[in-house]
Amino acid sequence: KAGVTQTPRYLIKTRGQQVTLSCSPISGHRSVSWYQQTPGQGLQFLFEYFSETQRNKGNFPGRFSGRQFSNSRSEMNVSTLELGDSALYLCASTVIAGPNSYEQYFGPGTRLTVT
Amino acid sequence: KNQVEQSPQSLIILEGKNCTLQCNYTVSPFSNLRWYKQDTGRGPVSLTIMTFSENTKSNGRYTATLDADTKQSSLHITASQLSDSASYICVVSPGAGGTSYGKLTFGQGTILTVHP
């Protein structure tokens, strides 16, 4: 089974621009979560989508948005980029593995640099 | 506020030695705790997962322990190898599956460096 794929792997943008990142979960997984990882803050939850619906949202400004398509692929968009948005953006594909248990698989991430 | 604190922030050991990483959490109610290994430039990979009723879980040379009463967990690495050099992240889930994936609380991670 193919793992979680994220595109692009690396991206350089300038302040004020907008960016779209893509994530394809493991086949059959319907839950996709997005995280931002920075050296100072560690991993922070952005949002989660399940069956095309946003189910949870973290504490990020409205410049961060996402969506999920019927094939479970997900995109996240960041508008009006700021220098502080430079980070590794990770996507995770999740499936319930049993009572009180789940399996979460992370993609390799997209390294976004804002200059 | 739910928090997960890891210590030490970084650790350097010699190949072949053992080490123990610590994780203290305040997440309540608590469902399960997971340790991830993240190689540089890669996404995290799950090492172990323990529910509140489990005390220990092993995965090869990795052994995680959990004390739900004191809200502490540790990850013990035996006979370290150069490939163990990575960031180790403790993650706590406040609830059971369902809509709780997004409520995971992540520790800052411990950066382990294994020298030959």
Side-chain angles (χ1 to χ4, degrees):
Chain A
K1 225 181 214 186
V4 180
T5 59
Q6 291 187 246
T7 56
R9 292 294 311 279
Y10 303 92
L11 204 51
I12 299 176
K13 291 285 189 177
T14 56
R15 276 180 298 177
Q17 288 186 313
Q18 68 94 27
V19 66
T20 299
L21 312 181
S22 179
C23 170
S24 291
I26 293 171
S27 177
H29 291 193
R30 294 157 64 190
S31 171
V32 174
S33 300
W34 288 91
Y35 299 89
Q36 181 195 67
Q37 186 176 35
T38 58
Q41 299 294 324
L43 270 157
Q44 293 185 288
F45 170 70
L46 281 157
F47 28 66
E48 183 217 352
Y49 286 87
F50 182 85
S51 293
E52 302 179 64
T53 301
Q54 186 181 87
R55 197 158 62 171
N56 284 294
K57 189 176 190 303
N59 297 321
F60 278 81
R63 300 185 297 107
F64 292 81
S65 63
R67 59 177 176 169
Q68 187 180 32
F69 302 95
S70 58
N71 62 357
S72 293
R73 189 177 71 86
S74 177
E75 289 182 346
M76 68 162 281
N77 184 277
V78 187
S79 61
T80 320
L81 284 166
E82 300 176 0
L83 294 179
D85 296 333
S86 295
L88 180 66
Y89 289 88
L90 290 162
C91 162
S93 167
T94 307
V95 66
I96 294 175
N100 298 326
S101 179
Y102 62 91
E103 286 296 337
Q104 191 170 51
Y105 301 90
F106 283 86
T110 293
R111 172 72 62 186
L112 172 65
T113 302
V114 182
T115 63
Chain B
K1 182 182 174 184
N2 289 335
Q3 285 189 308
V4 176
E5 301 286 340
Q6 291 187 243
S7 61
Q9 284 189 323
S10 62
L11 184 61
I12 300 174
I13 62 174
L14 292 176
E15 187 179 14
K17 297 297 185 182
N18 303 335
C19 68
T20 300
L21 314 180
Q22 299 291 341
C23 173
N24 296 338
Y25 62 93
T26 61
V27 178
S28 183
F30 157 79
S31 175
N32 58 67
L33 184 146
R34 192 179 287 256
W35 283 92
Y36 283 92
K37 177 187 179 189
Q38 184 176 22
D39 293 315
T40 302
R42 309 289 293 274
V45 174
S46 180
L47 291 175
T48 64
I49 178 171
M50 292 178 290
T51 65
F52 57 86
S53 60
E54 295 178 292
N55 300 118
T56 186
K57 186 69 69 76
S58 291
N59 178 1
R61 295 179 298 102
Y62 301 101
T63 299
T65 63
L66 173 65
D67 185 333
D69 292 331
T70 61
K71 292 185 169 54
Q72 295 180 324
S73 176
S74 65
L75 179 68
H76 186 74
I77 304 174
T78 304
S80 60
Q81 301 176 357
L82 298 179
S83 60
D84 292 332
S85 294
S87 177
Y88 291 84
I89 303 171
C90 175
V91 184
V92 179
S93 172
T99 61
S100 297
Y101 310 142
K103 302 300 185 183
L104 301 177
T105 304
F106 291 79
Q108 294 279 64
T110 292
I111 299 173
L112 175 65
T113 305
V114 181
H115 283 167

